[in-house]
Amino acid sequence: MRSTTRRSEQVITSQYVTPQGICDPEQAKAIAKKLFDLYDRDRNGIIDGQEVSPMLVDAYRGMSKAFNPTQADVDTFVQVLDVNRDGKITYQDVENYALRILAGIQPLPSYSIQLPPQRQYNRMVEERLEVARRLFKKFDVTQCGFLTRNEVPGLLRETYKQLNIEFEPTPQDVQAWMDMTDTDCDGKVALQDFEQSIIRSLQEQGISLY
């Protein structure tokens, strides 16, 4: 890093610092895209409340702090990113935030990116997913948007109970389920991970999804 003096003002320059912020606009956009792709887990073009919670958890983990966000925390963070106040976080919202915080510029207002609607699963698949969502909500005892290893045994017991099967999962059963469901290997299972495991199971059974 080098410094120069001009009109009694000190100007600090380096390969990382620009007059606008800590990186240039293109770098800020690239970071925004990586973040959006990482947390838009259901690929619907919107980061919803359940996807915001892992963002906050990971952000605090990066500062070596444990954090279980409340609904109020999630709502506040949504308000920060949702600058156009349309009630949802789109890619454009994340990009605008990155440009403002990382590149130090205020983007002009623009329309949110509209992605084509996803295909809808058939009724039977949606019913299976709805059951999965209820089970997930029941055993997400901390209401943090994901299941930890300690919460998995209860979920497995209840799943088998609905099939009229008595089942007491062993640590090996829990590990096998985590290996199958925790696709990003972060030690926790988000609702989207759980739903995708249901979809994969149905596909392996040869059941039509649409």
Side-chain angles (χ1 to χ4, degrees):
M1 182 177 291
R2 59 186 174 85
S3 64
T4 61
T5 303
R6 180 182 304 167
R7 293 181 183 176
S8 68
E9 293 180 353
Q10 190 177 48
V11 180
I12 306 298
T13 62
S14 78
Q15 60 178 324
Y16 303 107
V17 180
T18 72
Q20 295 83 20
I22 64 174
C23 66
D24 64 44
E26 291 307 313
Q27 290 173 320
K29 289 180 181 180
I31 292 171
K33 187 177 189 309
K34 287 181 180 179
L35 285 173
F36 192 87
D37 290 344
L38 177 63
Y39 293 106
D40 179 25
R41 294 180 173 177
D42 56 6
R43 298 295 184 265
N44 68 346
I46 297 170
I47 295 180
D48 57 31
Q50 289 188 330
E51 292 166 331
V52 166
S53 184
M55 289 180 70
L56 292 172
V57 171
D58 291 345
Y60 276 82
R61 183 185 295 125
M63 297 182 288
S64 300
K65 295 181 180 180
F67 181 62
N68 286 325
T70 64
Q71 187 59 50
D73 296 323
V74 171
D75 291 343
T76 298
F77 192 65
V78 169
Q79 291 176 10
V80 170
L81 291 183
D82 182 24
V83 293
N84 62 358
R85 298 296 182 263
D86 63 354
K88 54 193 176 185
I89 299 175
T90 63
Y91 171 73
Q92 193 64 58
D93 291 325
V94 176
E95 181 180 280
N96 287 349
Y97 185 75
L99 287 170
R100 186 169 68 252
I101 299 301
L102 300 178
I105 61 177
Q106 180 64 50
L108 293 174
S110 60
Y111 294 104
S112 299
I113 297 175
Q114 298 297 320
L115 299 180
Q118 288 186 307
R119 294 178 63 187
Q120 296 296 311
Y121 294 122
N122 63 39
R123 181 175 179 181
M124 185 276 289
V125 174
E126 284 295 340
E127 288 175 350
R128 295 281 187 92
L129 289 175
E130 185 56 37
V131 171
R133 292 171 190 130
R134 288 200 299 269
L135 286 173
F136 186 96
K137 184 176 181 180
K138 178 178 180 179
F139 290 99
D140 178 18
V141 294
T142 60
Q143 298 298 300
C144 60
F146 56 81
L147 298 178
T148 63
R149 185 182 300 273
N150 292 337
E151 294 165 325
V152 170
L155 175 67
L156 293 177
R157 290 190 201 96
E158 185 65 24
T159 300
Y160 277 89
K161 183 178 180 181
Q162 295 200 9
L163 299 173
N164 295 317
I165 299 175
E166 291 293 329
F167 178 68
E168 183 58 38
T170 65
Q172 291 76 20
D173 294 324
V174 173
Q175 183 61 53
W177 190 86
M178 291 289 293
D179 291 341
M180 176 184 67
T181 311
D182 179 20
T183 55
D184 56 3
C185 300
D186 62 354
K188 56 183 183 285
V189 175
L191 175 59
Q192 290 78 12
D193 296 328
F194 188 33
E195 290 181 346
Q196 286 303 309
S197 74
I198 301 296
I199 295 300
R200 287 195 301 272
S201 176
L202 294 175
Q203 288 177 314
E204 290 170 358
Q205 297 173 50
I207 296 175
S208 175
L209 303 181
Y210 304 101

